[in-house]
Amino acid sequence: MMSEESWYSTIIREAAEGVSATDAVNAVMPGGMAVAGAVKAAADAAVGLGAVGSWSFDREEIEAIIADWKELAEQLREDRATFSQAETASYAPSNDEPSNRFVKSLQDGLAAIEKSNKSMQEYVDGFIEKLEEAKRSIGRTDDENANALGSANVNEV
């Protein structure tokens, strides 16, 4: 697993130099987990440093990346269901003040985890949308290039 500093540095380098999409996704998903807030901070830092670059994709690579992010989205949905079940199953063993206070703090904590999970789900779903749009764009560009080459070959004959 990458340390926070190393993957943060990787994001900034990628923004400046442009790297493959697989490397970029691996940098933001150490151990299979999305680190949304830190990724945004790294991207903001790269922009603040005036870094300009791009990630390169090909069809097979972007399809694999989309599958990874969809798997992460499914894991987040499963986690959210688990949090909801835990919150529903939390009750005080007795009706005294310390027990009620403990259960209240437990439920508050679970609600905060659920809120964080929802935020991560929204981020991941948005990123998947952007990747799918990039995939469609790659397909259109490939089709346009193929058509242009086909037209050039017909005109040469």
Side-chain angles (χ1 to χ4, degrees):
M1 186 170 177
M2 297 177 126
S3 71
E4 182 176 327
E5 182 177 357
S6 67
W7 72 259
Y8 183 86
S9 298
T10 301
I11 293 288
I12 291 174
R13 179 183 48 77
E14 289 165 354
E17 298 172 7
V19 296
S20 78
T22 299
D23 291 342
V25 170
N26 287 336
V28 298
M29 292 180 61
M33 298 297 292
V35 188
V39 170
K40 183 180 181 328
D44 290 347
V47 169
L49 294 173
V52 189
S54 63
W55 292 343
S56 60
F57 295 94
D58 63 37
R59 264 185 223 223
E60 294 77 27
E61 188 175 36
I62 199 166
E63 287 172 1
I65 291 165
I66 291 170
D68 288 345
W69 280 83
K70 283 184 176 180
E71 181 180 337
L72 177 61
E74 181 57 33
Q75 290 169 357
L76 288 168
R77 280 188 278 284
E78 290 169 5
D79 288 347
R80 189 164 188 200
T82 301
F83 303 144
S84 293
Q85 289 172 353
E87 191 173 3
T88 302
S90 302
Y91 56 91
S94 66
N95 197 16
D96 59 34
E97 182 59 29
S99 295
N100 289 330
R101 216 177 25 233
F102 172 77
V103 170
K104 172 74 170 114
S105 67
L106 175 65
Q107 290 174 337
D108 290 347
L110 288 168
I113 290 171
E114 209 171 341
K115 181 178 177 182
S116 175
N117 176 276
K118 181 180 179 187
S119 174
M120 286 189 285
Q121 281 181 333
E122 290 169 359
Y123 175 86
V124 168
D125 290 342
F127 195 69
I128 289 169
E129 269 184 48
K130 290 175 185 173
L131 288 170
E132 288 178 339
E133 175 55 35
K135 179 182 169 185
R136 287 188 293 274
S137 177
I138 290 168
R140 284 190 300 266
T141 301
D142 286 352
D143 291 344
E144 289 169 5
N145 291 340
N147 288 338
L149 288 174
S151 298
N153 289 337
V154 170
N155 292 334
E156 290 177 10
V157 176

